[in-house]
Amino acid sequence: MIGKTPVWVLPVVALVALIWIVPLIGLVMISIRPLAETTLGWWNLSEVSFTLEAWRTVWDKFPLAYATWVSTKIAVISTLIPMIMAPAAAYAFHFLSFPMRRVLLLIIVNAFVLPNQVVVIPLFLLWRDLGMIDNIWSVIIPFAGLSFAWSVFLVKNYLEDFPTDLIEAAQIDACGPIARFFYIVLPNMLTPIAAVAILQFMWTWNGLLLPVVFLREELPLPALLARVQGVYDNNFDQVAVAAIITTIVPLAIFVIFQRYFTAGAQTKTGSKE
């Protein structure tokens, strides 16, 4: 029987949650107050008035709608590729036997620790020679490739607890490797696939380094945010607006699909009941 939650838990959790959202509150306050009032800090309430001038300025001055469309294209395609490939690769490495399986897995997992900064210059030279600078595929390909390692690692770890009885029963029923994957394993891997999708979407949506280096005109939101910020411009209110717009989509994605992070035990049924 689960015990009753102590009374002190709720206030402590509420306090931690409040502290956690303080930066978001600050962004909203800076975006809807005149810049002169927030120069000494958004928490300064000696003079308070509200305006949407920063929102109008950012929307008129910068192509936010087009940047949102570019971010959506990059994030969606970069997310679909590992969602499709990682489960099949994890299934092959975990359940199938083939030459050099362990060596190939070690090579893929080693890419897990490869930072973006290491591949930027070689990729830039390659994309330049291929004429792919300012092409969104110059960003999508490394986004999908660099995430493939941890995606396979995450899904394969999930399969460690997968009941082998189901696989053996399918083999007795003359079910081949491909059929076992599509009809037995894949339907029970929705949780890690959803986790891969959420993490990959948030990573690619907020990715800054690769778009800044490889793209010129088709800029996603994080790269456009850097342009809004400028170098010596005193426009914190406009930067706050751009930051809020950049944050809304991944925040909504996480809120909608966060239950998949904790739904593992419920979806790993592994039975024919």
Side-chain angles (χ1 to χ4, degrees):
M1 179 178 177
I2 300 175
K4 185 178 179 181
T5 304
V7 179
W8 56 269
V9 171
L10 181 59
V12 171
V13 172
L15 178 61
V16 172
L18 180 62
I19 296 174
W20 199 261
I21 65 172
V22 164
L24 184 59
I25 296 174
L27 278 178
V28 174
M29 293 296 290
I30 293 174
S31 69
I32 60 176
R33 294 179 62 188
L35 187 60
E37 295 182 3
T38 57
T39 302
L40 298 179
W42 61 267
W43 54 87
N44 187 347
L45 303 179
S46 58
E47 184 180 356
V48 178
S49 59
F50 299 101
T51 176
L52 295 178
E53 182 63 27
W55 288 82
R56 286 192 291 266
T57 302
V58 170
W59 193 262
D60 295 336
K61 190 176 179 180
F62 299 96
L64 285 177
Y66 185 70
T68 304
W69 168 239
V70 174
S71 287
T72 303
K73 286 193 296 184
I74 292 175
V76 170
I77 298 174
S78 301
T79 301
L80 287 177
I81 293 174
M83 280 181 65
I84 296 171
M85 297 181 64
Y91 169 77
F93 281 119
H94 191 75
F95 288 112
L96 304 182
S97 297
F98 52 89
M100 299 183 67
R101 182 184 66 169
R102 189 169 296 277
V103 174
L104 290 174
L105 180 60
L106 288 176
I107 293 174
I108 292 177
V109 172
N110 280 334
F112 186 19
V113 297
L114 193 64
N116 292 347
Q117 293 83 351
V118 175
V119 300
V120 166
I121 294 178
L123 275 179
F124 179 82
L125 298 177
L126 177 63
W127 297 149
R128 185 194 61 185
D129 294 342
L130 295 177
M132 290 182 61
I133 296 297
D134 203 22
N135 186 320
I136 63 171
W137 285 101
S138 64
V139 176
I140 291 173
I141 292 174
F143 270 155
L146 291 172
S147 67
F148 184 69
W150 66 261
S151 300
V152 173
F153 187 71
L154 190 151
V155 179
K156 187 179 182 306
N157 278 350
Y158 181 88
L159 292 178
E160 294 292 337
D161 296 329
F162 194 88
T164 56
D165 293 346
L166 283 178
I167 302 298
E168 294 171 356
Q171 287 178 314
I172 294 174
D173 293 338
C175 192
I178 297 178
R180 293 199 297 270
F181 172 69
F182 282 105
Y183 295 110
I184 305 296
V185 179
L186 188 60
N188 288 292
M189 287 201 300
L190 296 182
T191 296
I193 293 174
V196 168
I198 296 171
L199 295 174
Q200 174 71 357
F201 186 89
M202 297 178 71
W203 177 57
T204 53
W205 182 275
N206 294 318
L208 174 63
L209 178 62
L210 298 181
V212 167
V213 176
F214 298 150
L215 301 179
R216 298 293 181 270
E217 300 297 330
E218 290 192 282
L219 292 178
L221 280 172
L224 186 65
L225 176 61
R227 287 193 177 183
V228 174
Q229 185 174 7
V231 180
Y232 302 107
D233 300 331
N234 184 18
N235 57 351
F236 300 121
D237 52 347
Q238 298 176 22
V239 174
V241 173
I244 291 172
I245 296 174
T246 305
T247 307
I248 286 176
V249 173
L251 181 62
I253 293 293
F254 182 79
V255 170
I256 294 173
F257 296 101
Q258 56 86 24
R259 63 189 176 91
Y260 286 102
F261 280 114
T262 58
Q266 299 175 3
T267 54
K268 283 195 300 182
T269 57
S271 69
K272 290 184 176 181
E273 295 178 357

